[in-house]
Amino acid sequence: MASNRVRAIAISLAVALAPIGAGAVWAQNTTASTAPAPTAQSLQATIQQAAASAAAQPGFARLSASAKLAAIQAAVSNALAASGASPTVISAALVQAVASGTVSAGVAIQVAASVSPEAAQQVASAPAVTQQLAQTGQSATVTTAATDGGGAPSVLVSLQGVSSTAPVDGGAAAGAGAGGNTQTNQPAPYDPCAGVVAAYCGS
């Protein structure tokens, strides 16, 4: 008799709890599906944390400028891809990050190039990006090339540092009618910390 009563209570509890469990699952799904979409502003923390995590890797300070650029670009690209943000939002977020000094113009362009040709062009032509490039004496060239087989076009980004010229023979050459020959130095590697106040740049 007692065992029958216990069994009946257990069955009643199971029936009563079933809808609650199903409701909890539905509530979780609803919460996930109604989560706010990432915005340019909300992605600023994502970009900053990704750049800082790249700089926190052992030996980062000893890397060359190009290797630092690649490390930061990869970290930021992966973080933004995981955010699920649209290319348009990512482009706006990168421009905002450049304007606030979180990442350099070159990093932003490189990350945008991994998203789409349109994103790369949008970021490269943004006033905040072109202004930082001009202020730091650096340059960026973005070109889009069609790929064989009709695949997605590839984006090529050329980043350079300051290029300087120095006169050869000085006034003596000019006085002799040589026309003031100049020697052009090779452009320096793009500095991913130029124009940036982020922690990974040591400020």
Side-chain angles (χ1 to χ4, degrees), residues 7-101:
R7 189 178 299 111
I9 293 173
I11 292 173
S12 298
L13 284 173
V15 171
L17 291 175
I20 296 175
V25 172
W26 179 84
Q28 290 174 356
N29 292 337
T30 301
T31 302
S33 63
T34 59
T39 63
Q41 181 60 41
S42 69
L43 288 175
Q44 295 310 298
T46 300
I47 294 172
Q48 187 173 21
Q49 290 168 4
S53 69
Q57 297 302 311
F60 180 85
R62 296 190 300 273
L63 295 176
S64 65
S66 59
K68 286 181 179 178
L69 176 65
I72 297 168
Q73 182 260 326
V76 174
S77 294
N78 292 337
L80 290 176
S83 73
S86 69
T88 301
V89 171
I90 288 176
S91 298
L94 289 169
V95 171
Q96 189 171 331
V98 172
S100 63

